[in-house]
């Protein structure tokens, strides 16, 4: 029997590809899905956004890391290092290995997204509820931002939870986008490390549907499936999620 259902936002998937430390999270999720312990359910909007953005994300990553290789080569020349050619060769090998690993992780991710995951179709009801959120300026909408895409995602998740059986023990909505889905736990605190919790506009739905929130896929996986990821990977995931939230 399935132990958990994860609904994962687009930004969380793409963030995994941006950090080598999180590649093992992709593999762990795929293994758990294959074993039947975890079900991944995705709104159609997530799949559309992923297709739209993934190539640009990968191109940027490759370009940035190719720049590091060039920097090593130029530094070796400027310092008149005797092993300049060897340094460039080694840098090229490291870069090639990085690209191969990145592409392999991308393939694993797309097996999850397009072969294993259950897609939530957009219905007129989901669209109408998202529109209503916008008209009432309820989260994920704000006064100065049109968050229709985010509203379609969260309303799709709510729709699925309402219509599906409630016999799964753990249900998680995972999103790095705490600006649109969350608020500070205690708004009066002055410390910078404020804990993010589900926004009041969304909280009743989360509670009634027994839906949990996490801004960190590796942490959610580790919590529900202990031992599936190393502590190092989980801690790295926390730091990445915190940095993304502070943007």
């Amino acid at each position: 029997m399935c132990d958990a259902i994860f609904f994962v936002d687009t930004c969380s998937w793409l963030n995994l590809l941006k950090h080598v430390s999180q590649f093992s999270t992709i593999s762990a999720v795929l293994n758990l899905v294959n074993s039947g312990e975890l079900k991944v359910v995705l709104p159609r909007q997530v799949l559309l956004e992923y297709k739209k953005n993934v190539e640009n994300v990968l191109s940027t990553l490759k370009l940035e890391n190719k720049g590091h290789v060039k920097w090593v080569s130029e530094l070796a020349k400027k310092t008149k290092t005797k092993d300049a050619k060897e340094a460039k060769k080694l840098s090229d090998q490291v870069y090639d290995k990085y690209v191969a690993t990145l592409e392999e992780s991308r393939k694993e991710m797309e097996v999850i997204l397009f072969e294993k995951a259950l897609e939530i179709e957009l219905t007129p009801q989901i669209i109408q509820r998202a529109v209503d959120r916008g008209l009432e300026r309820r989260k994920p909408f704000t006064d100065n931002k049109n968050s229709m895409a985010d509203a379609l995602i969260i309303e799709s998740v709510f729709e699925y939870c309402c219509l599906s059986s409630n016999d799964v023990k753990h249900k998680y909505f995972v999103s790095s986008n705490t600006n649109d889905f969350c608020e500070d736990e205690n708004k009066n605190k002055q410390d910078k490390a404020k804990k993010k919790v589900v926004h009041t506009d969304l909280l009743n739905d989360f509670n009634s549907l027994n839906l949990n929130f996490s801004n960190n896929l590796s942490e959610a996986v580790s919590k529900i499936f202990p031992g599936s990821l190393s502590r190092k990977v989980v801690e790295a995931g926390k730091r990445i999620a915190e940095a993304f939230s502070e943007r």
Side-chain angles (χ1 to χ4, degrees), residues 85-207:
K85 289 184 179 180
E86 189 62 29
K88 184 181 184 304
K89 180 180 177 182
L90 181 59
S91 297
D92 286 338
Q93 290 174 348
V94 171
Y95 174 77
D96 290 343
K97 184 175 181 180
Y98 163 75
V99 170
T101 306
L102 176 64
E103 290 293 348
E104 183 60 34
S105 294
R106 183 242 184 110
K107 288 179 183 178
E108 286 189 333
M109 180 175 289
E110 294 187 353
V111 168
I112 299 170
L113 269 61
F114 301 112
E115 297 180 27
K116 302 293 183 178
L118 176 66
E119 179 182 345
I120 306 173
E121 296 284 348
L122 274 177
T123 65
Q125 292 82 5
I126 290 172
I127 295 171
Q128 185 59 56
R129 285 196 292 271
V131 170
D132 290 343
R133 280 193 175 275
L135 293 174
E136 297 165 9
R137 309 316 294 172
R138 291 182 289 130
K139 283 290 190 177
F141 288 90
T142 61
D143 290 336
N144 57 1
K145 182 181 178 183
N146 183 348
S147 297
M148 188 63 182
D150 291 326
L152 289 172
I153 289 171
I154 198 61
E155 287 296 348
S156 295
V157 172
F158 291 161
E159 171 97 339
Y160 180 88
C161 291
C162 283
L163 298 179
S164 63
S165 61
N166 202 29
D167 56 354
V168 177
K169 188 175 181 181
H170 305 287
K171 290 182 288 188
Y172 268 86
F173 175 60
V174 181
S175 177
S176 307
N177 184 8
T178 55
N179 289 330
D180 289 338
F181 294 115
C182 299
E183 62 186 353
D184 295 331
E185 185 176 35
N186 187 337
K187 296 180 181 179
N188 296 320
K189 285 185 177 181
Q190 298 301 314
D191 60 287
K192 295 181 180 180
K194 294 178 181 178
K195 182 180 178 182
K196 296 290 186 179
V197 294
V198 174
H199 195 277
T200 306
D201 290 348
L202 301 164
L203 189 58
N204 286 340
D205 289 300
F206 270 79
N207 288 341

Side-chain angles (χ1 to χ4, degrees), residues 37-55:
E37 298 171 81
L38 173 65
K39 180 186 290 185
V40 175
V41 180
L42 300 175
R44 167 166 283 190
Q45 185 66 28
V46 168
L47 298 173
L48 292 174
E49 290 178 2
Y50 177 88
K51 289 178 180 178
K52 179 181 178 181
N53 292 291
V54 65
E55 294 298 341

